[in-house]
Amino acid sequence: MKNLFVGNMSFQTTESELTELFKPYGAITRVRVVMDRETGRARGFAFVEMPNDDEAAKAVAALDGKAVGGRNLKVNEARPKGDAPRTPRFGGGGGGNSGGGGGRGKDRGGFSNEDYSEAARQPREPRW
């Protein structure tokens, strides 16, 4: 059983059109066009399950790059969700709490802000 990813699809491509496209290469177990939950529109990719690995390989070889609905399809073997490298959706890298130093509370041997609430503030020396 092979699960194939079909990407770069026209948003108007239907499951029945994909079924007709893949049918010449072998049996098809299931076709699922992924839809956006909020808008109900297609998201531009789908998954096609084929029970025979050889037939799936032939479909990938024949359909990868084929123009359908004005777009060149990207067809390959689907990878499990966890295998794909995660890239940030909006802009640069870096992760959540990558700020510097600090943050030593009472439980870690430091002092919390509460300890200084009664203390008088010391005047700063001029910089010149």
Side-chain angles (χ1 to χ4, degrees), residues 57-126:
K58 288 177 187 171
V60 169
L63 298 176
D64 188 34
K66 181 177 174 74
V68 175
R71 305 193 64 166
N72 294 338
L73 296 181
K74 181 67 185 153
V75 182
N76 54 37
E77 185 175 344
R79 293 183 297 272
K81 206 172 194 178
D83 287 357
R86 295 294 294 174
T87 56
R89 190 172 214 174
F90 301 106
N97 292 335
S98 59
R104 288 178 43 181
K106 284 184 179 178
D107 59 333
R108 294 189 187 150
F111 300 97
S112 71
N113 288 342
E114 298 166 6
D115 296 332
Y116 294 105
S117 61
E118 302 296 320
R121 185 167 180 131
Q122 297 290 323
R124 291 179 61 172
E125 288 190 34

Side-chain angles (χ1 to χ4, degrees), residues 27-76:
I28 300 166
T29 308
R30 184 171 99 155
V31 176
R32 185 171 64 95
V33 173
V34 179
M35 306 298 269
D36 187 297
R37 279 186 228 151
E38 294 175 15
T39 64
R41 289 185 45 199
R43 290 186 57 195
F45 65 96
F47 294 96
V48 177
E49 283 183 11
M50 298 181 79
N52 185 310
D53 292 357
D54 293 334
E55 292 173 351
K58 288 177 187 171
V60 169
L63 298 176
D64 188 34
K66 181 177 174 74
V68 175
R71 305 193 64 166
N72 294 338
L73 296 181
K74 181 67 185 153
V75 182
N76 54 37

